[in-house]
Amino acid sequence: MAELKKEIIEKMQEIVENCMGDSQAACVSTCPMNTNVKEYVKLIGENKGEEAIKVIREKLFIPGVLGRICAHPCESNCRRGEEDNSVAIASLKRYAADNYDREENWDLEKISSNGKKVAVIGAGPGGAQGALDLVKKGYEVTIFEKLPVLGGMMRVGIPEYRLPREVIDKEYSLLTKLGVKINLGVEIGKDIKFDELLNSYDSILVAVGRQNGRIDKSVPGVEGTGVYHGAEYLKEISLTRNFKGVGNRVVVIGGGDVAMDCARSSKRLEKVQEVISIPLENSYEAMASSNHEIHGALEENVKFKLGYGLNKIIRDENGNIEKVQIKKCLSLFDEEGRFNPKFDEENTEDLICDTVVFAIGQGVDSSFDENRVLALRGNGTFDCDMLTRQSLSNEKVFIAGDCGNAFIVIEAMAEGRRAAKSIDRYLNGLDLKEDRNIEDEGGYKTKLFLPNEYLPEGWDSAEKVNRRVSGTLPSDKREKNFLEVERVFTEKEALEEANRCLQCECKLCMKECIMLNDYTDCPKHLFEEYLEKGHQEMEAKIAYSCNMCDQCTLKCPKDFDIKSNFAGMRSEYVKENHGKSPMKGHKAIEVHQYLGYSKMFNTTNEAPSGKKTKYVFFPGCSLPSYNPEAVGNMLDHLQNKLNGEVGSLLKCCGKPPKALGQDDLFKERFKSVQDELDKLDAEYVIVACQSCYGIFKNYSKQKVISLWELLPEIGLPEGQVGIGKGSDVTFNIHDSCSIRNMTKIHDGIRWIVKELGYKIEELENSREKTRCCGFGGMIVPAVPEVATKVMKRRASETTTGHMITYCAACRESMEKGGADAQHILDLVFGETYTKEKSAKRNKGPVGQWMNRYKAKSELKKRK
């Protein structure tokens, strides 16, 4: 069997590698848990909250938690955010969770016990996710947590006013419902040795948090009472709503989210009177903290000293903090881009305070591993394989969460899930990496990007632009309490916000092309199949279902040439089928070609006696088969306007075999046409058919002129100008897809219609955006069901019920599709057309060939 031409293979490969048809929206791809954000936002927008929460829970077991505290990389990468403001995805998740999440609907299915035991160290989101996935697979899972509460750093590192504890407890209850054993207040390394776990369990998932805070020991006066790190500060406040060592005036060092949590938590403590935040950054915009956290701190009267660093802590004679001295920060980074702050040592200021909280970073406490079984990285996290999460020093141990590579809750969960999958494979003796990649198991940058012109219609309408923001507890109601600050969306707000979603996808060619939807969900997958199987193993019907209209390319943001792939395959199918199309229906084309080149239906005529045949009128096949009188009348008009130097040639141009992939037969057929033109010694060919225009433009020795660009130059027949002025019909114009880029022809047709006096109403899909009539690609006899759908779709687009075409085949398609359709020459040579005269004009094959014979007579009598 022959292979496809190299250039076709390369085009297919380009589509497979670069087509965005199966690319996820950025909100989905950048979610480390691959949550189907687009779908649940869509469902919320349709007021289908119960269905939305089901979609969310397919991936996330803590939707209420994440709806409040997720760092939402989905929002940071939202396509809408590049135009105005990203969709409030996290708030919508919370809306679904708070209003529609019912415990009785939770999925409690799991595989029966397989007898294997897994220990999980840490009850944070990474450990919990790993435990959840493993228990559902039949493993006996035990979580060991040194804190007296569930949630890990999420519980003791995120303040209660942001994340109510009852939300964590409710959603974490899924673990015990599924049979996970949870041992709280048990510290590995002290209460139970790590080596003991290694000996007692088949595998271990280490998911400890970053509970070691950092204090800058180089600061003079730092040693002594009143100085704390953010982790211990927030932990005690989370557990007790108080901090024993806090004074009246608190200074928080740092500019990140933890610093804002420390500052805002301080404002809620009974003893605290004043809180000052000291970030190195010299503006709120430059701070590492989230904007809403900074805004919340300002609302709660946290004071800021922007662009300063701590110079020293000044203590009184009793060793208590009296004040701190701060110094102006000149720059944060050196010339190599490294964090290396520079200060103006002379520009200092003293601030009265009694408590200093450092929020300048946290580390992993690895002390539980007293025998150093696990390898550490330079930053203190455990070294492991990025995909499988397997420890590089002990194959039985897997790593997830803060102690691995995660920085946010959703990343920790993704690592927990990957680790659970690897543990399952490890304990079943399977390859840990086979058929796995980070894109399927973690966040990644999608290929999908839609230029503005490809965004949904009406995306920027006024009612969709402004991001809806949920309200907050008034700032005066937040003093000295831990009530939740942000409220949940109302139903109205949620629906409005969800409907701002652009529902990003690149399925533009699929939405446009009727035939592609019968065989694939996107071009990438279709051509992957061709490359994998070979065209011989694919249905020939696929290639012969293409209308060859180029609309897919027109819609494609990357302008992929899909049509030529099908054309190339047609040529190979023909070669493999002894020069004939493999489609049974194309036997009708063979009959057409036999008659189209027979002497009975062909004629070649010189210009009238004594005149040079400078021009040859070539009416094509479909027009003579439809209106032979118009063919003869047009030749009369051309001879009258072009000094009589017009001959005629009635013959098929060869487009049918060309369209079928019969390349050799086309060359033979067109040569016979060219020979006739050469005999006439013509300089120009005047064509009425758009398919003929393309053939002659590409293959003829003579110059080709479209009749529809010529008539505006030479004028219409006398007496026809203004004939349509009294008509009650307004026409739409169907432009032929084969000349979609020929603006001069489009303009010419509209000039003709206006000269005739008829009213025009333009279609949305016209000129260069026109759609195929259904006849293109010779699909009518081969795949009539597709052709019919295309015809009906195009005909249904008429806004007036009346179509003008300038191709007789297009006219027939529009009529078959259900529209009243006239060929332009029906109007050029007819009486005033009115609604009363609307009538179907299609004739069967016999009638068409009789017309073709009449057209031959019409042309011969005018030579």
Side-chain angles (χ1 to χ4, degrees):
M1 287 284 190
E3 291 295 326
L4 292 172
K5 291 180 179 179
K6 181 182 177 182
E7 56 265 33
I8 298 300
I9 296 286
E10 289 175 350
K11 283 184 179 180
M12 287 186 182
Q13 288 172 334
E14 181 190 8
I15 291 172
V16 168
E17 291 170 8
N18 298 298
C19 173
M20 301 186 293
D22 68 342
S23 296
Q24 294 283 12
C27 58
V28 178
S29 74
T30 54
C31 175
M33 288 291 283
N34 302 135
T35 316
N36 194 346
V37 175
K38 190 174 77 170
E39 179 63 16
Y40 79 70
V41 170
K42 172 175 168 286
L43 290 168
I44 291 172
E46 295 171 351
N47 207 9
K48 297 176 181 177
E50 293 88 353
E51 294 178 40
I53 195 63
K54 286 179 184 177
V55 172
I56 295 169
R57 276 200 166 269
E58 286 174 3
K59 298 286 187 178
L60 308 175
F61 82 99
I62 49 172
V65 168
L66 291 168
R68 288 166 165 85
I69 55 87
C70 186
H72 45 68
C74 51
E75 290 188 30
S76 301
N77 292 277
C78 173
R79 177 68 180 87
R80 174 120 214 165
E82 297 183 32
E83 304 306 324
D84 44 68
N85 294 295
S86 59
V87 176
I89 297 168
S91 296
L92 290 171
K93 187 188 292 100
R94 177 185 169 183
Y95 167 79
D98 284 13
N99 289 284
Y100 300 102
D101 194 19
R102 308 279 183 267
E103 292 185 47
E104 59 267 26
N105 295 329
W106 290 358
D107 178 14
L108 300 180
E109 287 188 19
K110 64 176 185 175
I111 297 171
S112 57
S113 176
N114 56 30
K116 296 177 181 178
K117 300 191 301 179
V118 180
V120 178
I121 304 176
Q129 185 67 60
L132 181 66
D133 289 358
L134 287 165
V135 77
K136 289 175 76 69
K137 288 181 178 290
Y139 293 94
E140 295 179 20
V141 183
T142 302
I143 293 177
F144 297 92
E145 171 57 63
K146 74 176 182 178
L147 292 169
V149 291
L150 288 167
M153 288 300 294
M154 186 172 67
R155 176 70 167 255
V156 298
I158 297 175
E160 188 176 355
Y161 61 83
R162 289 177 57 201
L163 178 57
R165 300 332 187 196
E166 62 270 19
V167 177
I168 299 175
D169 291 336
K170 173 192 171 184
E171 296 184 334
Y172 259 67
S173 70
L174 177 61
L175 296 169
T176 52
K177 291 178 190 292
L178 285 165
V180 176
K181 298 174 185 176
I182 301 174
N183 293 328
L184 297 176
V186 177
E187 185 172 355
I188 304 303
K190 291 184 179 179
D191 301 311
I192 301 175
K193 297 298 182 184
F194 184 52
D195 287 348
E196 186 180 334
L197 286 189
L198 284 171
N199 293 329
S200 303
Y201 288 84
D202 296 295
S203 184
I204 296 176
L205 172 57
V206 175
V208 297
R210 296 176 188 255
Q211 296 190 24
N212 281 354
R214 193 167 77 83
I215 293 175
D216 187 352
K217 298 292 186 179
S218 69
V219 175
V222 74
E223 299 293 342
T225 60
V227 177
Y228 310 98
H229 63 71
E232 65 176 322
Y233 191 69
L234 291 174
K235 175 183 173 182
E236 186 174 328
I237 293 173
S238 293
L239 294 174
T240 68
R241 295 185 179 176
N242 194 13
F243 191 84
K244 290 179 181 178
V246 76
N248 295 323
R249 290 177 172 82
V250 179
V251 164
V252 179
I253 310 300
D257 282 340
V258 174
M260 293 304 99
D261 287 341
C262 291
R264 296 181 69 187
S265 293
S266 298
K267 292 292 292 185
R268 286 161 169 77
L269 302 180
E270 283 294 336
K271 193 174 181 181
V272 175
Q273 297 174 8
E274 183 179 58
V275 179
I276 304 174
S277 174
I278 305 177
L280 290 172
E281 298 89 347
N282 61 12
S283 70
Y284 295 121
E285 292 75 20
M287 287 175 61
S289 179
S290 307
N291 288 336
H292 66 276
E293 287 297 318
I294 298 170
H295 184 68
L298 289 168
E299 286 183 331
E300 292 161 14
N301 296 315
V302 171
K303 296 178 181 178
F304 283 83
K305 293 296 293 184
L306 296 172
Y308 280 87
L310 184 60
N311 193 33
K312 61 183 176 181
I313 298 173
I314 301 169
R315 296 178 180 272
D316 63 20
E317 65 273 11
N318 297 317
N320 297 318
I321 297 175
E322 185 177 280
K323 56 187 173 181
V324 295
Q325 186 178 85
I326 58 176
K327 54 187 175 182
K328 187 65 178 174
C329 181
L330 300 176
S331 65
L332 291 175
F333 303 96
D334 59 24
E335 293 179 356
E336 283 72 41
R338 294 171 299 194
F339 181 71
N340 187 15
K342 294 289 187 295
F343 298 93
D344 181 352
E345 303 292 342
E346 303 301 318
N347 188 347
T348 63
E349 184 177 339
D350 291 348
L351 301 174
I352 295 174
C353 68
D354 49 29
T355 308
V356 176
V357 180
F358 282 89
I360 56 174
Q362 294 167 219
V364 175
D365 181 2
S366 60
S367 61
F368 71 88
D369 180 21
E370 57 187 359
N371 293 323
R372 294 293 178 261
V373 173
L374 304 179
L376 291 171
R377 300 188 184 100
N379 63 0
T381 58
F382 296 110
D383 211 356
C384 64
D385 182 272
M386 290 290 289
L387 173 62
T388 67
R389 313 307 305 163
Q390 187 177 44
S391 168
L392 298 184
S393 56
N394 190 311
E395 66 175 14
K396 192 174 182 177
V397 179
F398 296 79
I399 312 296
D402 283 351
C403 64
N405 298 89
F407 288 95
I408 57 177
V409 171
I410 197 80
E411 288 176 350
M413 294 172 68
E415 289 186 6
R417 172 154 288 174
R418 293 213 300 278
K421 187 172 184 177
S422 297
I423 290 170
D424 181 46
R425 289 192 177 197
Y426 168 73
L427 294 179
N428 284 285
L430 302 175
D431 189 309
L432 268 61
K433 291 189 174 182
E434 186 177 358
D435 296 325
R436 295 179 71 181
N437 60 70
I438 292 290
E439 288 195 6
D440 292 334
E441 301 181 34
Y444 64 95
K445 183 176 175 60
T446 183
K447 289 180 182 178
L448 181 63
F449 179 79
L450 300 179
N452 281 32
E453 59 267 31
Y454 290 95
L455 296 179
E457 184 179 353
W459 71 270
D460 56 349
S461 58
E463 67 273 14
K464 286 190 176 183
V465 172
N466 295 322
R467 174 177 165 126
R468 275 56 175 175
V469 179
S470 58
T472 57
L473 190 69
S475 58
D476 61 347
K477 302 287 186 184
R478 305 178 202 170
E479 283 287 324
K480 308 307 177 187
N481 67 67
F482 288 84
L483 295 175
E484 187 170 15
V485 171
E486 288 195 19
R487 68 168 176 78
V488 67
F489 274 145
T490 64
E491 180 181 293
K492 181 176 183 292
E493 289 169 337
L495 266 61
E496 289 174 343
E497 182 59 21
N499 281 301
R500 292 179 66 246
C501 176
L502 300 176
Q503 287 294 302
C504 301
E505 66 173 358
C506 188
K507 296 281 187 180
L508 296 160
C509 60
M510 300 301 297
K511 291 174 182 175
E512 178 60 35
C513 180
I514 287 175
M515 66 80 65
L516 279 174
N517 287 276
D518 288 341
Y519 305 111
T520 189
D521 63 343
C522 76
K524 174 180 178 177
H525 293 160
L526 179 63
F527 292 119
E528 271 181 336
E529 200 172 356
Y530 272 112
L531 291 173
E532 180 183 336
K533 296 180 178 179
H535 71 283
Q536 300 94 340
E537 299 301 316
M538 302 287 285
E539 266 192 287
K541 181 181 179 181
I542 301 174
Y544 283 100
S545 294
C546 176
N547 275 126
M548 300 290 168
C549 67
D550 264 337
Q551 193 76 354
C552 54
T553 301
L554 187 70
K555 293 292 183 181
C556 176
K558 297 195 172 184
D559 300 322
F560 286 134
D561 180 8
I562 296 174
K563 174 183 75 174
S564 64
N565 291 339
F566 294 127
M569 281 185 277
R570 289 185 180 192
S571 296
E572 292 304 321
Y573 285 131
V574 165
K575 288 178 185 176
E576 293 159 10
N577 197 44
H578 311 293
K580 293 187 177 183
S581 165
M583 305 301 294
K584 292 180 179 179
H586 281 151
K587 288 184 179 179
I589 303 296
E590 292 179 26
V591 173
H592 174 278
Q593 288 290 282
Y594 173 77
L595 295 174
Y597 285 89
S598 70
K599 291 182 179 180
M600 180 176 292
F601 296 102
N602 293 338
T603 182
T604 304
N605 304 294
E606 297 177 338
S609 180
K611 296 289 184 177
K612 170 182 169 56
T613 308
K614 183 177 180 179
Y615 304 92
V616 172
F617 176 46
F618 193 91
C621 297
S622 58
L623 180 58
S625 300
Y626 165 65
N627 191 340
E629 292 80 11
V631 170
N633 290 336
M634 182 50 67
L635 180 56
D636 275 342
H637 182 62
L638 292 172
Q639 288 175 343
N640 180 48
K641 292 291 185 177
L642 296 173
N643 195 32
E645 299 178 328
V646 186
S648 61
L649 174 57
L650 182 59
K651 202 170 192 176
C652 177
C653 71
K655 178 63 182 287
K658 177 70 175 173
L660 298 187
Q662 296 171 303
D663 300 331
D664 292 337
L665 182 58
F666 164 70
K667 291 175 183 176
E668 176 188 324
R669 294 281 165 80
F670 187 74
K671 183 179 183 303
S672 70
V673 175
Q674 186 64 61
D675 288 344
E676 294 300 311
L677 292 172
D678 291 343
K679 288 177 186 177
L680 294 171
D681 197 23
E683 297 177 31
Y684 299 94
V685 182
I686 300 170
V687 296
C689 168
Q690 282 57 255
S691 292
C692 294
Y693 181 88
I695 292 294
F696 281 104
K697 188 173 182 180
N698 290 320
Y699 299 101
S700 176
K701 296 176 185 177
Q702 285 75 23
K703 294 179 181 179
V704 61
I705 303 172
S706 168
L707 180 61
W708 319 118
E709 58 184 342
L710 178 62
L711 285 177
E713 296 178 9
I714 65 176
L716 298 179
E718 292 181 14
Q720 292 299 105
V721 174
I723 196 170
K725 285 184 178 178
S727 174
D728 57 356
V729 172
T730 299
F731 285 106
N732 299 129
I733 295 176
H734 166 75
D735 295 295
S736 299
C737 59
S738 57
I739 48 90
R740 67 167 70 255
N741 295 317
M742 295 299 298
T743 302
K744 192 173 181 181
I745 295 177
H746 305 155
D747 292 342
I749 289 295
R750 285 153 179 79
W751 180 89
I752 294 169
V753 177
K754 288 179 180 178
E755 281 291 291
L756 291 171
Y758 292 103
K759 296 183 289 291
I760 300 172
E761 190 171 291
E762 290 286 358
L763 294 170
E764 180 182 351
N765 296 302
S766 63
R767 293 181 174 263
E768 70 280 355
K769 296 195 300 180
T770 191
R771 281 177 163 163
C772 182
C773 70
F775 250 104
M778 298 291 153
I779 77 168
V780 174
V783 198
E785 65 275 16
V786 173
T788 299
K789 285 190 283 188
V790 176
M791 290 174 182
K792 287 183 177 179
R793 179 182 69 175
R794 181 55 172 167
S796 70
E797 292 180 33
T798 176
T799 58
T800 67
H802 305 277
M803 286 272 209
I804 290 176
T805 75
Y806 41 105
C807 166
C810 291
R811 192 214 65 81
E812 185 176 343
S813 290
M814 294 302 95
E815 191 169 284
K816 285 183 176 180
D820 171 53
Q822 304 300 308
H823 188 280
I824 188 70
L825 292 188
D826 293 334
L827 306 178
V828 169
F829 295 110
E831 299 176 356
T832 301
Y833 189 77
T834 62
K835 291 179 180 179
E836 289 184 357
K837 295 182 179 179
S838 298
K840 290 186 178 296
R841 300 188 179 196
N842 283 340
K843 295 185 177 181
V846 174
Q848 290 175 343
W849 283 108
M850 288 179 64
N851 278 343
R852 175 75 175 264
Y853 186 79
K854 289 179 184 177
K856 174 182 176 180
S857 300
E858 290 284 339
L859 294 173
K860 285 185 71 173
K861 69 184 182 183
R862 288 171 171 80
K863 66 179 180 179

